[in-house]
Amino acid sequence: MLYRTMPKNGDKLSILGFGCMRLPATPEGAIDEPRAIAQIRAAIDAGVNYVDTAWPYHAGASEPLLGKALRDGYRERVKLATKLPSWLVHSRGDMDRFLDAQLQRLETDHIDYYLVHALDGPLWDAVSGHGVTGFLDAAKADGRIVNAGFSFHGLLPDFKRIVDAYPSIFCQIQYNYLDQEFQAGTEGLRYAAERGLGVVVMEPLRGGSLARPAQSPAVAAIWDEATVKRAPVEWALRWVWNHPEVTLLLSGMNDEAHIAQNVAVADQALPGSLGEAEMALVDRAGGKYKELLKVGCTGCGYCMPCPMGVQIPKCFDAYNGLHMSGDAEAARFHYAISVGGVIGVDAPGFASLCAACGECLEKCPQHIEIPEVLKSVVADLEDDAMAQRIEQARKIFTVRPH
């Protein structure tokens, strides 16, 4: 296992972190506790020393499971990360109630790395108004948290101002070879690193899409050109680790073979270990993958705000996710969460709200025929079960401490 240093505090962290959002499940959908605990402990035994969870993962069951997994001396061997559910915060007191409940769930007296979860510009403004910086300072002072940071799912200008607004130790961004210009992207990665923040990368495999066998013969042909043959998952992970600005990446490992594979790669992936030719090969593969995407949206947000309230970039992200993964139900649930008024927005922003006014067409630097594409989003992602998905998502993502 290779380790990198968190710039501001000197912690030596495994470049592979264990993400507890996609733990193995029973046929009934609950976490398979014995298997999940065994997997987490096996990863720690192999050198992983950073474990990440959050309040809503597995409908609230991830944190308690991780608390059990870290018994028997395992807690002392890892840096534990979890997150404040920012969209549920309505007062300064809410923040303390969530943190105290999380400490109980995780069976610990402190959180090593505590993130304000899923920020974008409006959510940051909201939690700032409720005193989140004062809360973080107080929780650090009384020892409940050690290091404060944030995870991000918004637009680049908002990412930069959040970085500059508070002396965070670290941040967490979505980053992979398809998302170099999406959300924070490469520019955000470098911006944070230049200011001394550690960078934790989530979605290095884009929800698993980049780990599966190539979805087109053209992509497979590119990988076959490589002098050193590697599986698609290894190319994706190595591409992220090739960036020296990355402190570690999180992998949602829920299969023993996948854990072994990821650990093996994490023993070799030094910064700069991919040469120029190999990096160019990955970029070419990324270009072919992008041809599979139905819409060339980079998530820049120039089309926003929509006068009808359509969350255009989020609609397109879910739409592309559907065609990358082929998992219609998962894509529709993601769509319900991201544009259904569950997280980050007060009202639904479905594609079906589009009135074809054309205002967005003048703003889009990619020259996307936005109203026409939104019709396809409606056809593929909106169905009679959408209301039930939103209700299910609310039950998962709006649970508050007792």
Side-chain angles (χ1 to χ4, degrees):
M1 179 65 64
L2 297 176
Y3 297 83
R4 297 187 186 179
T5 302
M6 184 63 70
K8 289 187 178 182
N9 63 21
D11 282 351
K12 303 295 184 182
L13 302 176
S14 56
I15 65 170
L16 176 65
F18 198 111
C20 296
M21 188 173 72
R22 300 183 178 99
L23 297 170
T26 66
E28 295 73 32
I31 298 174
D32 184 337
E33 289 202 3
R35 188 179 177 202
I37 290 171
Q39 289 180 351
I40 293 167
R41 292 184 174 186
I44 295 170
D45 290 339
V48 170
N49 71 355
Y50 188 96
V51 186
D52 170 274
T53 184
W55 178 266
Y57 291 174
H58 284 278
S62 177
E63 287 178 330
L65 179 282
L66 185 54
K68 296 176 183 177
L70 296 181
R71 293 172 184 170
D72 305 322
Y74 280 88
R75 174 67 182 93
E76 291 72 29
R77 298 170 60 184
V78 300
K79 299 299 184 181
L80 173 60
T82 193
K83 309 175 186 75
L84 174 73
S86 56
W87 60 94
L88 295 178
V89 169
H90 303 298
S91 70
R92 171 67 173 76
D94 281 346
M95 304 178 204
D96 288 300
R97 282 187 284 274
F98 278 112
L99 175 55
D100 290 342
Q102 289 172 302
L103 292 170
Q104 290 185 357
R105 285 175 157 193
L106 289 160
E107 303 181 23
T108 189
D109 62 358
H110 70 281
I111 307 299
D112 299 292
Y113 286 85
Y114 196 65
L115 303 92
V116 185
H117 196 179
L119 288 181
D120 57 13
L123 265 179
W124 171 248
D125 293 338
V127 295
S128 294
H130 296 310
V132 72
T133 59
F135 158 73
L136 294 173
D137 287 341
K140 286 189 289 185
D142 64 30
R144 288 180 294 165
I145 67 175
V146 180
N147 302 288
F150 66 95
S151 67
F152 187 76
H153 287 284
L155 303 176
L156 177 62
D158 289 321
F159 176 78
K160 291 181 176 180
R161 69 183 180 94
I162 295 170
V163 167
D164 293 338
Y166 183 79
S168 295
I169 297 295
F170 71 117
C171 62
Q172 184 169 308
I173 63 172
Q174 177 170 325
Y175 194 55
N176 55 67
Y177 65 79
L178 291 189
D179 290 330
Q180 300 181 52
E181 299 178 349
F182 183 67
Q183 296 182 6
T186 301
E187 185 174 343
L189 169 70
R190 292 172 177 165
Y191 190 87
E194 287 167 359
R195 284 149 186 79
L197 276 70
V199 180
V200 176
V201 167
M202 57 184 158
E203 300 295 349
L205 303 177
R206 224 176 197 257
S209 296
L210 302 181
R212 301 186 184 100
Q215 297 183 24
S216 78
V219 175
I222 291 172
W223 294 138
D224 286 343
E225 291 178 26
T227 303
V228 178
K229 306 303 180 186
R230 298 184 174 103
V233 62
E234 183 172 355
W235 282 112
L237 296 180
R238 278 182 174 271
W239 184 89
V240 174
W241 281 322
N242 210 59
H243 295 78
E245 301 90 346
V246 172
T247 307
L248 65 96
L249 63 76
L250 296 171
S251 180
M253 302 175 282
N254 57 17
D255 181 273
E256 290 75 9
H258 296 164
I259 295 170
Q261 181 184 36
N262 289 1
V263 166
V265 181
D267 186 44
Q268 305 169 10
L270 292 164
S273 59
L274 293 182
E276 290 185 11
E278 290 181 308
M279 290 293 281
L281 193 77
V282 177
D283 281 341
R284 285 177 54 209
K288 287 298 181 183
Y289 268 120
K290 286 179 180 179
E291 292 176 8
L292 298 173
L293 301 180
K294 291 295 184 180
V295 53
C297 175
T298 64
C300 70
Y302 291 146
C303 58
M304 299 294 286
C306 166
M308 302 307 296
V310 178
Q311 295 290 323
I312 299 169
K314 292 181 178 180
C315 288
F316 288 165
D317 182 43
Y319 185 56
N320 278 333
L322 166 66
H323 290 282
M324 278 293 295
S325 69
D327 188 336
E329 188 53 38
R332 287 169 183 155
F333 190 65
H334 169 64
Y335 182 66
I337 295 169
S338 59
V339 303
V342 178
I343 296 178
V345 291
D346 295 328
F350 290 119
S352 52
L353 296 172
C354 176
C357 68
E359 184 174 316
C360 54
L361 294 173
E362 302 173 2
K363 302 176 182 178
C364 178
Q366 308 300 325
H367 307 295
I368 298 167
E369 293 294 327
I370 293 174
E372 288 301 310
V373 179
L374 288 172
K375 292 178 183 178
S376 298
V377 176
V378 174
D380 284 1
L381 293 178
E382 297 188 28
D383 60 14
D384 294 340
M386 189 55 63
Q388 290 93 321
R389 292 190 191 95
I390 293 174
E391 182 61 27
Q392 182 185 3
R394 288 191 189 283
K395 289 179 180 178
I396 295 172
F397 287 94
T398 61
V399 175
R400 304 175 68 82
H402 295 301

